[in-house]
Amino acid sequence: MNKLLSTLTLISAIMMASAAFAADRTVTFAVDNMTCASCPYIVKTSMAAVPGVTNVVVSFEAQTATVTFEDTKTNSDAIAAASANAGYPAHPRQQGS
């Protein structure tokens, strides 16, 4: 019984530790080829479909997409690739741009 309890405690501690290292990141992408009113919807849908993405806000006027995602589940390259695959190449903006 003590061995089982110790094992369960260890597993629980490992699971909590990995969750503690997860963080939400927000990246703003410059998005190419948005030329019509339906383009932002397509960009948002393609980026939101990436596992780990929690929020996408697209600005047609600024030609940008601001994406919040869990950094343990995805990264900015995967999000940019999803947008590019839909026909809208996306490039992370540098901080302060």
Side-chain angles (χ1 to χ4, degrees):
M1 180 70 165
N2 283 341
K3 195 172 197 176
L4 176 62
L5 185 57
S6 295
T7 302
L8 290 175
T9 302
L10 178 62
I11 291 171
S12 176
I14 291 171
M15 291 175 66
M16 287 182 184
S18 65
F21 292 115
D24 281 350
R25 288 195 56 215
T26 300
V27 175
T28 299
F29 295 86
V31 183
D32 299 334
N33 299 342
M34 287 200 296
T35 59
C36 69
S38 64
C39 294
Y41 174 77
I42 296 167
V43 171
K44 181 175 182 170
T45 302
S46 64
M47 289 180 164
V50 176
V53 171
T54 57
N55 191 42
V56 180
V57 176
V58 179
S59 171
F60 180 72
E61 295 77 20
Q63 300 286 297
T64 61
T66 302
V67 183
T68 303
F69 60 94
E70 295 178 47
D71 66 358
T72 59
K73 294 183 179 179
T74 194
N75 58 49
S76 59
D77 291 338
I79 297 165
S83 185
N85 288 339
Y88 302 92
H91 314 280
R93 285 188 159 182
Q94 298 297 322
Q95 290 286 59
S97 296

